[in-house]
Amino acid sequence: MESPVCNIPNIKKPPDYKLAGKHSTDHQTIIDVNGVMVGGEELIVMAGPCAVENKEQLLATAKLVGKYGAKILRGGAFKPRSSPYRFQGLEEDGLELLQLARLETGLPIVTEVMDTRHVELVGEYADILQVGSRNMANFPLLKEVGLSKKPIFLKRGMNATIEEFLMAAEYILSQGNERVILCERGIRTFETAYRNTLDLNAIPMLKSLTHLPVIVDPSHGTGHRWMVGPMAKAAIAAGADGLQMEVHYKPEVALCDGEQSLYPEDFKRLMEELKVLAAAVGRKIRSRVKALKL
Ligand code: PEP
Ligand code: MN
């Protein structure tokens, strides 16, 4: 018989994100990505080009971001593009290049998977599977990556509420994959001066609702190179566990998102500034690991 309490109007039901919610555990989840701890005291920076374009571009960029303190290399091999006529990514050749970059730098790789049919393939190369903003509510894909043994980097849908975002994480967790990293990457608002409105409110809100690590992407969150640094700093000040940023060795010739990609020198300077800020909020950014071959 149903409890009479449930029939009383205005009684708030407990949230449906049973596994993602803070109420399910008393610990903060720390995800071990080949020895890189995401969600711990150290702030983790993931950096690299929007898309893998060729060997020279990827290796040159990877070596520089690693040298300047990135702990994880990003780069898309399967690219979700608004236009079917634009560069769609190198696909499996891009995954091969990412593997080469990992060998050359020692940096773990995060790369996007867009299709349930590619989860196994991308999982053979990637250390973290990224589910992009456009696929946050692709439930078959969420279920499929939930069966994968790899950590999942789940980006907030550009029109998703916090609750919808946590429910997307719940889809993955409920399949048995406990290693989900959340990423705030900006939402669509009426404002057109920037590509998206980076929702800084999401950081303290997510930190209060979930035990999962929260990473912020100020590149897609702003769309402008010159805005990336200020918003990266704001994200750290607001309590993010790290950042994902686009960096390109020659942004002016990038095939994708060059206007929001940092020059390696910008990235270097920003990392120095972030170290100071991290200390002020009781976190750390460690310099590059000596073992890395850079
Ligand atoms: C990306 O990180 O390459 C990307 C496409 O981002 P988003 O899914 O947030 O648009
Ligand atoms: Mn991009």
Side-chain angles (χ1 to χ4, degrees), residues 71-107:
K71 291 289 153 61
I72 295 177
L73 176 66
R74 66 145 288 144
F78 292 92
K79 292 303 303 172
R81 301 304 301 273
S82 304
S83 165
Y85 307 117
R86 297 268 174 94
F87 179 58
Q88 303 286 306
L90 296 180
E91 306 190 340
E92 196 165 352
D93 291 344
L95 297 174
E96 294 278 353
L97 290 176
L98 285 165
Q99 194 172 47
L100 181 64
R102 179 180 39 213
L103 268 172
E104 296 251 325
T105 64
L107 295 171

Side-chain angles (χ1 to χ4, degrees), residues 24-235:
S24 71
T25 168
D26 55 5
H27 73 276
Q28 158 70 35
T29 292
I30 299 178
I31 297 174
D32 182 346
V33 185
N34 299 354
V36 175
M37 299 298 185
V38 182
E41 186 193 12
E42 184 183 355
L43 297 176
I44 299 302
V45 175
M46 310 179 180
C50 179
V52 178
E53 298 169 9
N54 56 61
K55 185 169 160 185
E56 180 191 322
Q57 171 249 14
L58 185 66
L59 292 186
T61 308
K63 286 179 185 173
L64 288 168
V65 297
K67 186 168 157 191
Y68 300 147
K71 291 289 153 61
I72 295 177
L73 176 66
R74 66 145 288 144
F78 292 92
K79 292 303 303 172
R81 301 304 301 273
S82 304
S83 165
Y85 307 117
R86 297 268 174 94
F87 179 58
Q88 303 286 306
L90 296 180
E91 306 190 340
E92 196 165 352
D93 291 344
L95 297 174
E96 294 278 353
L97 290 176
L98 285 165
Q99 194 172 47
L100 181 64
R102 179 180 39 213
L103 268 172
E104 296 251 325
T105 64
L107 295 171
I109 304 296
V110 55
T111 194
E112 180 158 353
V113 57
M114 299 201 298
D115 191 314
T116 50
R117 293 167 297 184
H118 297 152
V119 172
E120 209 179 306
L121 172 73
V122 180
E124 283 169 23
Y125 293 90
D127 298 289
I128 305 176
L129 298 175
Q130 176 165 319
V131 173
S133 190
R134 290 155 192 81
N135 274 314
M136 188 214 78
N138 179 341
F139 302 118
L141 182 63
L142 296 175
K143 286 186 188 171
E144 198 63 32
V145 298
L147 296 171
S148 162
K149 298 276 174 279
K150 297 287 163 124
I152 307 304
F153 189 75
L154 177 65
K155 299 190 86 172
R156 180 180 180 183
M158 59 190 78
N159 59 358
T161 64
I162 294 292
E163 181 156 353
E164 287 162 344
F165 188 21
L166 289 172
M167 290 308 296
E170 193 74 15
Y171 262 92
I172 301 169
L173 297 166
S174 63
Q175 294 298 313
N177 189 342
E178 295 179 348
R179 301 198 291 164
V180 178
I181 302 165
L182 301 174
C183 177
E184 161 60 38
R185 49 76 74 205
I187 51 175
R188 281 257 169 97
T189 68
F190 55 83
E191 186 53 74
T192 56
Y194 19 83
R195 185 174 179 183
N196 289 290
T197 298
L198 188 66
D199 181 13
L200 291 174
N201 285 357
I203 304 163
M205 183 54 80
L206 288 169
K207 295 297 289 180
S208 82
L209 294 175
T210 178
H211 53 90
L212 299 171
V214 177
I215 300 289
V216 171
D217 169 359
S219 306
H220 295 90
T222 62
H224 298 294
R225 179 180 309 120
W226 62 272
M227 289 184 76
V228 170
M231 297 313 280
K233 291 176 195 167

